[in-house]
Amino acid sequence: MSSVRVRVPAKVNLQLSVGPLRDDGYHDLVNVFHAVSIFDEVVARESEAVAVRVEGSFADQVPTDEGNLAIQAAKALAKHAGRTYGVELIIRKAIPVAGGMAGGSADAAGALVACNELWGLGLPFEDLMEIAGDLGSDVPFSLLGGTAIGTGRGEQLSEVPASGPFHWVFAVADGGLSTAKVYAECDRLREATGEEVAWPQVSEGLLDALRLGDAQALGAHLVNDLQPAALMLRQSLARTLETGRELGALGAIVSGSGPTCAFLAADEETARNLAVALEGAGVCRTAVAAHGPVRGAHIV
Ligand code: C5P
């Protein structure tokens, strides 16, 4: 085998409930992940050393050194296998960078699946999930895909039965937001207001909406505790969300730590029209229609 190609989806959080700050700097979460049809591609080719090249819409914003999570993933996998391996990773980006859609995590998950195949390791899915959890809180979900509840810092997953498809529009902003900074702003806001931070609980209304495939109900149950912090750091997002609501979205929410905004639409055509209208209103850099749930990282 000289080359392996893997496709990995972006995610949106349908519920992101953030518990108190832990001693290790993370927060306990209830995080309902939903994989959507915006895909990065990771191609792994035989090579002496571990190296990465990035292509596509957001390529110039992605690090190609050790800061690249896909490189870290390849090295962690080689270490797990107890050998030195090389690989050239070519990442074709479609997922917004630092956009709250787990783009970096997707590339790491893609690298794990691609290198496992390229190097002929044959490691089971459970081993990849374990390595993924050490790489970042969202990497296991990028492997799994579908719809799932993440607890702990988001890495402990259980699958959620979801009918679908659900139709979405993602309004991509100019520039990204640092996840760590958004969590820190969330803590700061909570401290400033003296807000009592409850232990996060999964929303039964949200689970019912997913099971029934009820887009109207799902739109009403979307929740993101990081949204006030993201809006504080990027005030223009309030107008983006409001515009989507005025244009008839069933739900409007910041995706994860932002700044991408997610809008739920009744059907595919409505989503396409909403994307055009959001772009026309000048409240985002681009707007992309997509559907979910879709499967996690897989070889194509
Ligand atoms: O796990 P990951 O590297 O993606 O997390 C990035 C940052 O987001 C962490 O350094 C932390 O500041 C914040 N985070 C958090 N609680 C979580 C997940 C992430 O505070 N459950």
Side-chain angles (χ1 to χ4, degrees):
M1 180 126 356
S2 61
S3 166
V4 179
R5 191 154 61 98
V6 172
R7 220 156 77 118
V8 206
K11 63 84 185 163
V12 60
N13 305 84
L14 307 178
Q15 176 185 356
L16 182 43
S17 295
V18 179
L21 180 62
R22 309 193 313 202
D23 290 343
D24 65 359
Y26 285 87
H27 299 74
D28 278 302
L29 306 177
V30 164
N31 192 348
V32 181
F33 291 105
H34 184 66
V36 295
S37 62
I38 300 174
F39 299 97
D40 277 2
E41 254 184 34
V42 179
V43 177
R45 285 192 192 144
E46 279 180 1
S47 168
E48 290 294 309
V50 177
V52 71
R53 197 171 80 217
V54 188
E55 302 173 349
S57 338
F58 307 98
D60 55 333
Q61 298 164 44
V62 181
T64 52
D65 58 11
E66 290 294 318
N68 189 299
L69 209 53
I71 290 195
Q72 294 174 30
K75 291 191 170 170
L77 186 69
K79 192 167 168 211
H80 181 93
R83 278 192 47 191
T84 311
Y85 289 98
V87 63
E88 185 193 18
L89 296 166
I90 300 147
I91 300 173
R92 303 199 174 112
K93 289 238 50 100
I95 306 174
V97 176
M101 299 195 75
S105 302
D107 301 342
L112 288 178
V113 171
C115 293
N116 190 36
E117 182 75 13
L118 183 78
W119 298 337
L121 301 178
L123 291 176
F125 188 70
E126 298 71 50
D127 286 28
L128 299 186
M129 288 292 268
E130 203 183 305
I131 301 167
D134 290 338
L135 289 165
S137 310
D138 293 349
V139 184
F141 180 73
S142 298
L143 281 176
L144 184 68
T147 306
I149 302 175
T151 53
R153 59 184 169 82
E155 86 288 12
Q156 294 160 27
L157 296 173
S158 60
E159 288 178 70
V160 167
S163 311
F166 294 100
H167 297 278
W168 298 90
V169 176
F170 295 96
V172 181
D174 279 317
L177 277 175
S178 146
T179 304
K181 282 192 183 150
V182 176
Y183 273 100
E185 180 64 13
C186 174
D187 291 336
R188 195 192 65 77
L189 286 174
R190 285 173 164 183
E191 209 169 300
T193 58
E195 180 191 329
E196 191 73 37
V197 183
W199 190 255
Q201 305 280 348
V202 68
S203 156
E204 292 301 329
L206 182 84
L207 296 186
D208 284 346
L210 284 166
R211 196 167 30 81
L212 298 169
D214 183 341
Q216 188 93 37
L218 181 61
H221 282 96
L222 297 173
V223 44
N224 181 359
D225 283 356
L226 291 181
Q227 185 161 304
L231 291 182
M232 190 60 85
L233 296 176
R234 190 67 70 82
Q235 292 180 2
S236 61
L237 297 181
R239 190 167 152 247
T240 310
L241 291 173
E242 193 48 39
T243 305
R245 287 190 201 103
E246 282 167 13
L247 288 165
L250 302 176
I253 199 168
V254 169
S255 178
S257 54
T260 308
C261 291
F263 302 92
L264 186 61
D267 54 42
E268 190 176 358
E269 194 187 341
T270 314
R272 265 202 310 266
N273 291 339
L274 179 57
V276 172
L278 282 165
E279 277 191 357
V283 293
C284 55
R285 175 175 152 180
T286 54
V288 186
H291 64 270
V294 296
R295 59 193 289 215
H298 58 278
I299 295 170
V300 286

